[in-house]
Amino acid sequence: MSIAAFVTIAFMFAMYVMLDGYDLGVATVGALIARGERDRSAAMASIGPFWNGNEVWLIAAAAALFALFPAAYAAAFSGFYLPFIIVLWLLMLRGIALELREHFPSEVWHQFWDAAFAASSALLIFVFGIALGNLLRGVPLDAAGYFAGTFAFLLNPYALLVGVFALATLAQHGAAFAALRLDGDLGLRAARMLRALWWAVLPLYLAVTAATFAVHGGVARWLLAMPLLSLAELAGVWWGARSQRPERAFAMSLAFVATLLTAAAGTLFPYLLPAFPAGRGGISIFSAAPSAVALTCALTVTLGGIVIVGIYSPIVWRRMGGKLRAE
Amino acid sequence: MLVDRLQFAFTIMFHYLFPIGTMGLAPFVAAYTWKAARKRDEESARIAAFWTKIFAINFAAGVVTGIPMEFQFGTNWAAFSRNTGSVVGQPLAMEGMFAFFLESVFLGALLYRRRGLPSTFVAWAGVMVCAGAWLSGFFVVATNAWMQHPVGYRIAADGTILLENIWRVLFSPFSYWQFAHVLSGAILAGSFIVAGVGAYYLLSRRDEAIGRRLVRTGSIVAFAFALIVVFPTGDRNGRDVTQYQPVKLAAEEGLFTTEREAPLAIIGMPDVTRKRLIDPIFVPDFLSFLSYGNYKANVNGLDAYARELWPPVELTYYSYHIMVGLGTIFAAAATVAVLLLAFGRLWSARWMLWILMLLMPFPFIANEAGWVATEVGRQPWIVYGLMKTAAGGSPTVSNGETIFTLMGFAGMYFLLGFLFLYLTLREIGLGPSRENPA
């Protein structure tokens, strides 16, 4: 049952990255592809109805972690106090920027919030990337399972590399979404941006994969198939972008992100917070699990919730979807 | 530890201003949206669009200030989270899965809708947003109610509190009466906002047709909920406190000595060193009646409990009295407004419109004060009778770190509060007649 809980949590975080990933990505590349006020408004409107629902996946995943593995939740959130608070502030700034920009008709006002939105979104991706990098590499833990390292320790070359890779990947993801949703010149520029970013993602992917094998050493055998799958999906993104089929590029990009997170979760398993250096143990799903009653309850809630959300979200998305024009 | 408490108090109190608005305005947004979509009534459509905008600003501020709440359990209260997560995590996970998604997915649909969307879809989207806002409130109050009166748990060998029965946690009487009281308090605030904005339009002699509709609806709903807040919800909530947290009751009422035929202090200032009320005005025997339904009943005063189990008396006493006092004023004002309305005199009674307009911020103060009484009155416990607040903190986080983040929150919230007020007042200034009925 602990394994089912691990898979559920991993699934929720993966949903978060796949969905909020594209609106974070649009925020990041929006500033680069937009020419003037109307374009930026259109880029914002393309994610407007969706971003908040997407972000809920993060909140829900954190709450599920709290219910399923309280010890891991407590150790991670208090151990990485400052990084978590920084993530919080960035999330808040981003929410304020996107929601409040529409409520005042002034170009200066819009420019300010657009810049704040782009900067906070890009930084957020970078910080999430660094966090994932450290998670894969492991962190020093004391006997009670609390983080025993320093802030500077978290800024190691491997984690920074993952941060840059995350930025490129989600920017590409966002560009694919923008190419899909935006019409006219703006959509074409998004498609061009997508192809340019692809050339950044490919080498970074190879570097991160090699580095992960280097820092982590032994991984489960089935994970060796992941790089091949990822490369195939990356090729699919290119093919979609080349053949002017943005829906294929976006679908392939979604699959690429999903595969990356599956690989990351598989590498972590069975740890929620592995110790550094690798092989020194850590907080695993078996050491952090609460009572069987709590596990059953939280699993029922999260899985039931996922099913319900899975029913109504696509209905709403379909109603709100379709091409947008800069107006 | 003091800084962690300050940070939590500051962030939760600032955050809670917005859920009052969303839970209280959501039924109005849903009702006007429904009316506009089903009856194809253009005026209702303008009103619906107007309140949806104000709701959206409120919602955005509520979301961004709510994220830190979800995180702070882990960052600043790690020992509490580790020890009780098996129980407390459940309703919070339910809130995420069943309430947050509902509210944000459908609000996105309401805000960014375009022409040609089926009217049934729009009407139901409003209802879903309202359901999401209320469900969210329920799960949070259920969490809090468990901390007030823990049930449905067992204690493991290592002292960890483990979940035993989730239904008992969710549906303990403490939980549903507290939720009913909290929700009706929020709806009372929402209806005073609707009536107050309408009164402002009438006093400014603009948008008068819409202004009358807002004042009429707002004051009728305010009248109903001003009563529901007191009876049955406030009354039943008070009885739970009497039964399970008698020391909190004594602090709220400023009752220092145990008495038969205990009097109710209407006003007065507690003097904790001399253990008495300064300049009190009493209603004889009435506290015994309110607590036990019997004028002769014995009510335990603070002297019946060990000094270290007292909550901070002054804060508990004042916040409770502010809530009750304001509640009385709301009931009186709403009653007069409804009577004037019934006799067709409200539109010419400009003094009453002034009162309705000026009352707008006060339900927010009353709601906040009620929570301060509940939470401060729970001290020194974080989980009543099971775990002390002092034992709930994060062993790895130092005061210096928390002071830094507290300053950061203060700066950000100051900016947010300013923007929120400015944008909301601006929307009210623009008014519903400028809205484009979609």
Side-chain angles (χ1 to χ4, degrees):
Chain A
M1 195 141 59
S2 292
I3 296 173
F6 181 86
V7 172
T8 308
I9 298 267
F11 174 77
M12 292 175 77
F13 276 105
M15 283 301 282
Y16 171 68
V17 180
M18 286 158 68
L19 295 175
D20 212 34
Y22 75 70
D23 65 63
L24 285 162
V26 170
T28 309
V29 297
L32 303 173
I33 58 170
R35 302 234 171 94
E37 166 75 16
R38 284 179 175 181
D39 280 3
R40 275 183 283 118
S41 287
M44 289 290 205
S46 75
I47 54 175
F50 309 117
W51 80 273
N52 200 342
N54 295 344
E55 201 173 277
V56 173
W57 281 103
L58 177 68
I59 310 301
L65 183 67
F66 189 6
L68 289 165
F69 302 110
Y73 169 84
F77 278 55
S78 66
F80 306 110
Y81 187 71
L82 200 56
F84 266 98
I85 299 279
I86 291 172
V87 164
L88 258 179
W89 288 344
L90 290 172
L91 282 173
M92 293 171 74
L93 183 60
R94 183 168 182 266
I96 296 173
L98 185 60
E99 285 301 316
L100 298 192
R101 104 182 266 284
E102 290 308 321
H103 288 278
F104 193 73
S106 144
E107 197 161 329
V108 177
W109 174 273
H110 286 177
Q111 276 172 3
F112 174 76
W113 289 115
D114 288 344
F117 186 57
S120 54
S121 300
L123 253 175
L124 206 49
I125 302 176
F126 187 55
V127 174
F128 280 140
I130 292 177
L132 184 63
N134 278 302
L135 208 53
L136 291 170
R137 182 167 177 260
V139 291
L141 296 173
D142 66 14
Y146 285 106
F147 177 58
T150 61
F151 192 54
F153 175 87
L154 301 174
L155 300 176
N156 53 72
Y158 173 70
L160 291 173
L161 177 66
V162 178
V164 174
F165 172 60
L167 196 54
T169 303
L170 292 187
Q172 172 189 267
H173 195 42
F177 181 80
L180 172 66
R181 268 225 88 188
L182 296 169
D183 212 359
D185 256 6
L186 188 55
L188 290 178
R189 281 201 296 279
R192 212 155 37 231
M193 176 60 76
L194 170 61
R195 292 197 293 275
L197 282 166
W198 192 87
W199 285 109
V201 173
L202 182 64
L204 280 167
Y205 173 71
L206 296 172
V208 165
T209 309
T212 305
F213 279 111
V215 297
H216 216 275
V219 291
R221 176 126 349 126
W222 64 275
L223 284 172
L224 297 176
M226 289 290 138
L228 291 176
L229 188 57
S230 306
L231 283 173
E233 286 153 354
L234 212 45
V237 174
W238 179 254
W239 163 69
R242 247 326 2 153
S243 57
Q244 313 285 339
R245 302 291 291 272
E247 69 284 359
R248 288 188 189 160
F250 183 62
M252 281 295 155
S253 182
L254 272 174
F256 178 60
V257 173
T259 309
L260 289 178
L261 282 146
T262 311
T267 312
L268 269 181
F269 185 83
Y271 291 102
L272 293 159
L273 196 59
F276 179 84
R280 290 273 305 277
I283 301 181
S284 82
I285 58 171
F286 306 110
S287 58
S291 69
V293 183
L295 265 182
T296 317
C297 174
L299 267 180
T300 315
V301 167
T302 40
L303 293 176
I306 289 168
V307 170
I308 298 172
V309 174
I311 292 170
Y312 66 68
S313 289
I315 297 177
V316 177
W317 291 343
R318 184 165 308 168
R319 294 259 181 239
M320 307 307 294
K323 282 273 185 194
L324 276 185
R325 238 165 218 299
E327 47 184 322
Chain B
M1 181 53 68
L2 176 68
V3 194
D4 293 297
R5 288 178 143 167
L6 269 179
Q7 172 153 314
F8 201 85
F10 171 65
T11 50
I12 191 85
M13 285 181 73
F14 189 84
H15 167 65
Y16 193 64
L17 290 170
F18 305 108
I20 301 172
T22 44
M23 285 193 293
L25 288 176
F28 292 97
V29 169
Y32 285 122
T33 305
W34 183 274
K35 224 171 170 185
R38 310 279 18 206
K39 305 241 168 88
R40 310 209 172 275
D41 163 9
E42 200 173 291
E43 194 179 73
S44 294
R46 287 180 203 281
I47 301 178
F50 171 72
W51 286 115
T52 308
K53 259 191 191 166
I54 293 194
F55 181 89
I57 302 173
N58 218 308
F59 179 78
V63 167
V64 297
T65 56
I67 304 171
M69 305 324 307
E70 190 91 43
F71 277 48
Q72 264 184 73
F73 292 119
T75 53
N76 291 59
W77 301 95
F80 164 73
S81 304
R82 183 184 278 241
N83 213 11
T84 66
S86 159
V87 180
V88 168
Q90 307 298 336
L92 293 177
M94 293 179 194
E95 185 190 24
M97 295 314 301
F98 301 141
F100 285 161
F101 276 115
L102 202 62
E103 199 177 4
S104 48
V105 168
F106 283 98
L107 183 65
L110 265 194
L111 282 179
Y112 288 85
R113 67 168 170 226
R114 22 180 151 156
R115 277 166 203 286
L117 221 50
S119 63
T120 322
F121 176 75
V122 174
W124 279 103
V127 176
M128 291 298 169
V129 168
C130 183
W134 286 3
L135 268 177
S136 178
F138 173 72
F139 289 123
V140 168
V141 171
T143 311
N144 181 267
W146 184 82
M147 291 162 69
Q148 303 286 350
H149 176 54
V151 287
Y153 66 92
R154 71 186 166 84
I155 296 180
D158 64 347
T160 318
I161 298 168
L162 297 177
L163 179 73
E164 186 78 358
N165 184 338
I166 186 65
W167 303 110
R168 288 194 59 205
V169 173
L170 287 181
F171 299 109
S172 79
F174 211 112
S175 156
Y176 54 74
W177 282 115
Q178 194 182 348
F179 173 63
H181 188 58
V182 162
L183 181 61
S184 38
I187 298 176
L188 180 67
S191 50
F192 268 110
I193 291 294
V194 171
V197 169
Y200 165 70
Y201 291 143
L202 293 180
L203 289 171
S204 327
R205 301 188 196 285
R206 51 173 284 205
D207 297 300
E208 289 185 282
I210 288 178
R212 284 202 192 98
R213 273 182 76 172
L214 297 183
V215 171
R216 192 181 304 124
T217 316
S219 40
I220 292 172
V221 178
F223 174 68
F225 279 88
L227 300 183
I228 296 174
V229 157
V230 182
F231 191 87
T233 68
D235 178 59
R236 296 305 293 260
N237 205 205
R239 278 173 197 225
D240 285 337
V241 171
T242 311
Q243 190 177 347
Y244 301 117
Q245 306 176 317
V247 58
K248 182 199 271 184
L249 174 84
E252 284 176 343
E253 302 290 359
L255 186 70
F256 284 94
T257 44
T258 304
E259 275 180 72
R260 287 186 168 283
E261 304 178 10
L264 182 75
I266 303 288
I267 58 166
M269 293 158 282
D271 176 349
V272 178
T273 19
R274 299 219 175 95
K275 299 195 174 136
R276 65 187 178 100
L277 279 182
I278 303 166
D279 294 341
I281 295 180
F282 286 122
V283 181
D285 305 354
F286 206 58
L287 182 56
S288 290
F289 175 72
L290 281 183
S291 310
Y292 297 101
N294 172 1
Y295 289 102
K296 305 228 177 280
N298 181 68
V299 182
N300 276 351
L302 286 165
D303 63 352
Y305 306 96
R307 187 71 174 81
E308 65 271 15
L309 293 182
W310 291 14
V313 176
E314 296 92 337
L315 206 48
T316 312
Y317 173 89
Y318 284 125
S319 49
Y320 177 74
H321 276 74
I322 287 170
M323 172 188 78
V324 172
L326 285 175
T328 314
I329 294 173
F330 302 147
T335 309
V336 176
V338 166
L339 283 176
L340 287 170
L341 189 66
F343 290 103
R345 305 282 283 279
L346 185 55
W347 313 134
S348 52
R350 294 179 74 78
W351 56 273
M352 189 66 229
L353 298 176
W354 270 102
I355 291 176
L356 284 177
M357 183 177 82
L358 294 177
L359 269 180
M360 278 200 275
F362 289 95
F364 288 81
I365 297 174
N367 273 285
E368 293 274 353
W371 272 112
V372 172
T374 309
E375 298 299 275
V376 174
R378 190 189 63 217
Q379 305 306 321
W381 303 100
I382 195 164
V383 180
Y384 210 79
L386 288 182
M387 186 180 189
K388 293 263 176 75
T389 309
S394 293
T396 54
V397 177
S398 74
N399 266 350
E401 281 178 287
T402 311
I403 291 174
F404 172 70
T405 55
L406 178 58
M407 290 193 298
F409 278 114
M412 194 164 231
Y413 284 10
F414 178 77
L415 173 73
L416 180 64
F418 177 76
L419 287 173
F420 169 80
L421 267 185
Y422 174 70
L423 291 174
T424 306
L425 293 177
R426 188 174 164 276
E427 290 297 341
I428 293 173
L430 288 174
S433 56
R434 292 264 300 258
E435 294 296 338
N436 191 8

